[in-house]
């Protein structure tokens, strides 16, 4: 294990020497979500001067940047005469650079001032490639194409990855990453991420790779230390989508999106969906239904504790969003997406890698958080129709 910690300012300028004496590093990178992490540092003066608001923490593992982003809580300091901490200890809570993008919302008319936004406009994409939609949303709301006061320092668009399929999206005043996730889900199940490259933060999309034949975890291979597995019935196999009601008209558009395989395997589960559009001419109602069915897919929650071996290493042989294979002790093999990669390390005990693999429900987000996101999205549709 070789881990180096650096502090930079928001322009990616390194603020001092690598941090020494760190312990209890804990970081989780997530598929299409901001990362989360914490680390305990000795509160030496040369360390404390670097822990300033707006600065970033860079975690370098084996010579490669593992995660890098803003310190959301840079100075959680602790000292007492009884705890033997000497100069004291400071815990830093950090994320990756997706967190800064997550702080922006989608403006219907991003080139105008906030005061200049019109009350009945939406940012609409019809029959557009999902990667194009996602890159456009980030660029015009937080990137170099945004208004000057909304630009995130050093954020640029990465190379085009030619990822995804055509989809539709209609957004207005919702978190940028929520809109990006909707486009990614309905447009081919693609991924998006940030990465630090020199003096730039590059945002881009990618196509997750099917590694089920090569990325395998089992007790026999020596790369599986622990496992918990559960599978439950879907919460939606048929999304029954309704378009907006039009004043003075009895005509309303209805669209059905179904997962016939899930319905055949389990049973039919219908869910009513407020589509948030007048009709499906641009595919917006279909996209809403597709997202609802994807979110309600039969949750396979597979949480594993894995270890790197010479033959299988996180970040080299598999990554976020990739489809991998896990062999359960009783003979069943499960293939699904890598939703999160959890790195724990200490200077004394080395490191441990744990992967969360499964459906969209197999995330580290509490169920209440996912519920609030869903409710907020639906309330937003109602509010912006007034």
């Amino acid at each position: 294990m070789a881990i180096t910690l650096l502090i930079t300012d928001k322009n990616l300028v390194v603020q001092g020497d690598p941090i020494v004496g760190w312990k209890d590093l804990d970081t989780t990178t997530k598929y299409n979500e901001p990362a989360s992490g914490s680390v305990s540092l000795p509160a030496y003066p040369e360390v404390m001067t670097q822990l300033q608001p707006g600065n970033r923490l860079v975690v370098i593992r084996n010579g490669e940047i593992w995660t890098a982003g803003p310190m959301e809580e840079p100075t959680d300091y602790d000292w007492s005469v009884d705890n033997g901490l000497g100069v004291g200890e400071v815990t830093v809570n950090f994320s990756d650079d997706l967190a800064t993008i997550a702080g922006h919302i989608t403006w219907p008319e991003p080139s105008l001032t906030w005061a200049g936004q019109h009350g009945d406009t939406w940012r609409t994409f019809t029959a557009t490639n999902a990667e194009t939609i996602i890159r456009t949303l980030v660029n015009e709301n937080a990137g170099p194409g945004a208004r000057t006061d909304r630009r995130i320092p050093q954020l640029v668009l990465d190379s085009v990855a030619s990822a995804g399929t055509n989809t539709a999206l209609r957004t207005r005043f919702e978190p940028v990453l929520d809109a990006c996730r909707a486009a990614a889900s309905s447009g081919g199940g693609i991924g998006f991420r940030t990465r630090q490259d020199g003096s730039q933060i590059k945002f881009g999309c990618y196509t997750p790779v099917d590694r089920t034949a090569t990325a395998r975890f089992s007790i026999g291979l020596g790369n599986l230390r622990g496992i918990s597995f559960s599978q439950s019935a879907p919460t939606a196999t048929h999304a029954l989508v309704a378009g907006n009601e039009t004043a003075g008209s009895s005509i309303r558009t209805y669209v059905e999106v179904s997962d016939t395989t899930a319905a055949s395997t389990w049973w039919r589960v219908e869910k009513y969906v407020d589509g948030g559009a007048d009709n499906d001419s641009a595919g917006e109602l279909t996209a809403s239904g597709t997202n609802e069915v994807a979110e309600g897919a039969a949750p396979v929650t597979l949480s594993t504790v894995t270890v790197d071996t010479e033959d299988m290493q996180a970040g080299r042989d598999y990554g976020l969003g990739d489809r991998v294979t896990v062999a359960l002790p009783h003979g069943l093999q499960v293939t699904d997406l890598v939703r999160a990669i959890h790195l724990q390390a200490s200077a004394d005990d080395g490191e441990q890698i744990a992967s969360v693999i499964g459906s969209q429900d197999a995330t580290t987000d509490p169920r209440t958080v996912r519920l609030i996101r869903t409710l907020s999205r639906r309330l937003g549709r109602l509010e912006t129709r007034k």
Side-chain angles (χ1 to χ4, degrees):
M1 176 191 70
I3 290 180
T4 302
L5 304 182
L6 295 175
I7 306 295
T8 78
D9 65 11
K10 63 180 61 179
N11 293 311
L12 279 61
V13 177
V14 176
Q15 297 300 286
D17 294 330
I19 303 298
V20 297
W22 62 267
K23 62 179 183 178
D24 299 329
L25 173 67
D26 189 309
T27 178
T28 302
T29 53
K30 306 173 186 177
Y31 181 53
N32 292 354
E33 297 270 0
S36 61
S38 65
V39 64
S40 297
L41 310 175
Y44 298 131
E46 61 270 25
V47 172
M48 298 300 290
T49 58
Q50 298 185 55
L51 304 181
Q52 301 300 318
N55 282 356
R56 302 164 64 256
L57 180 70
V58 182
V59 178
I60 301 172
R61 176 178 180 258
N62 297 331
E64 302 288 339
I65 294 178
W66 181 264
T67 187
M71 296 184 292
E72 298 177 311
E73 189 176 8
T75 51
D76 183 359
Y77 177 75
D78 180 48
W79 178 90
S80 77
V81 71
D82 298 321
N83 62 16
L85 291 177
V87 295
E89 185 176 83
V90 60
T91 299
V92 176
N93 293 297
F94 60 93
S95 184
D96 64 11
D97 290 305
L98 275 181
T100 56
I101 299 174
H104 292 237
I105 65 173
T106 57
W107 289 19
E109 299 166 289
S111 64
L112 303 182
T113 65
W114 178 251
Q117 301 296 307
H118 295 89
D120 57 352
T121 54
W122 290 73
R123 187 67 175 98
T124 302
F125 300 88
T126 60
T128 305
N129 173 262
E131 179 182 11
T132 300
I133 294 174
I134 293 168
R135 288 169 60 91
T136 300
L137 288 174
V138 170
N139 182 46
E140 66 188 18
N141 288 287
R147 293 179 56 84
T148 303
D149 58 336
R150 301 186 71 205
R151 293 176 190 168
I152 295 173
Q154 312 307 118
L155 179 64
V156 299
L157 295 181
D158 210 337
S159 301
V160 174
S162 300
T165 58
N166 282 1
T167 187
L169 183 76
R170 194 167 185 248
T171 181
R172 172 183 170 88
F173 307 143
E174 68 176 313
V176 168
L177 292 191
D178 282 3
C180 289
R181 277 187 289 271
S185 177
S186 63
I190 65 175
F192 55 83
R193 60 194 168 196
T194 55
R195 64 184 182 95
Q196 180 176 327
D197 183 11
S199 61
Q200 294 180 318
I201 300 168
K202 293 185 175 181
F203 173 89
C205 298
Y206 65 99
T207 302
V209 180
D210 185 345
R211 302 188 188 276
T212 53
T214 58
R216 300 174 62 84
F217 300 91
S218 72
I219 296 173
L221 291 173
N223 56 12
L224 186 61
R225 293 290 180 85
I227 187 169
S228 62
F229 169 77
S230 68
Q231 185 174 20
S232 54
T235 59
T237 64
H238 290 70
L240 307 179
V241 190
N244 297 336
E245 292 181 327
T246 304
S249 174
S250 60
I251 299 175
R252 192 176 186 185
T253 302
Y254 295 93
V255 171
E256 179 178 340
V257 178
S258 61
D259 182 344
T260 55
T261 300
S264 175
T265 302
W266 294 88
W267 48 79
R268 182 183 178 103
V269 183
E270 298 179 344
K271 191 166 187 179
Y272 174 82
V273 181
D274 185 339
D278 292 338
N279 53 60
D280 200 40
S281 60
E284 294 159 310
L285 300 184
T286 296
S288 292
T290 300
N291 284 328
E292 202 71 41
V293 169
E295 290 178 2
V300 175
T301 303
L302 181 64
S303 179
T304 63
V305 178
T306 65
V307 291
D308 276 0
T309 65
E310 288 298 321
D311 297 325
M312 184 65 58
Q313 295 184 17
R316 187 194 71 182
D317 301 302
Y318 69 94
L320 292 173
D322 289 348
R323 184 173 291 275
V324 299
T325 300
V326 178
L328 306 185
H330 49 68
L332 178 66
Q333 287 196 141
V334 178
T335 67
D336 219 315
L337 304 186
V338 178
R339 293 286 172 180
I341 300 175
H342 183 196
L343 168 65
Q344 288 181 303
S346 71
D348 297 328
D349 301 326
E351 66 178 31
Q352 179 174 276
I353 301 287
S355 299
V356 177
I357 302 166
S359 71
Q360 290 195 71
D361 232 20
T363 70
T364 53
D365 288 337
R367 188 175 300 274
T368 52
V369 172
R370 300 197 299 274
L371 176 60
I372 289 171
R373 283 179 177 167
T374 301
L375 291 175
S376 296
R377 184 170 65 246
R378 292 173 181 170
L379 288 172
R381 291 173 182 165
L382 294 174
E383 180 66 25
T384 50
R385 261 190 259 141
K386 294 179 179 178

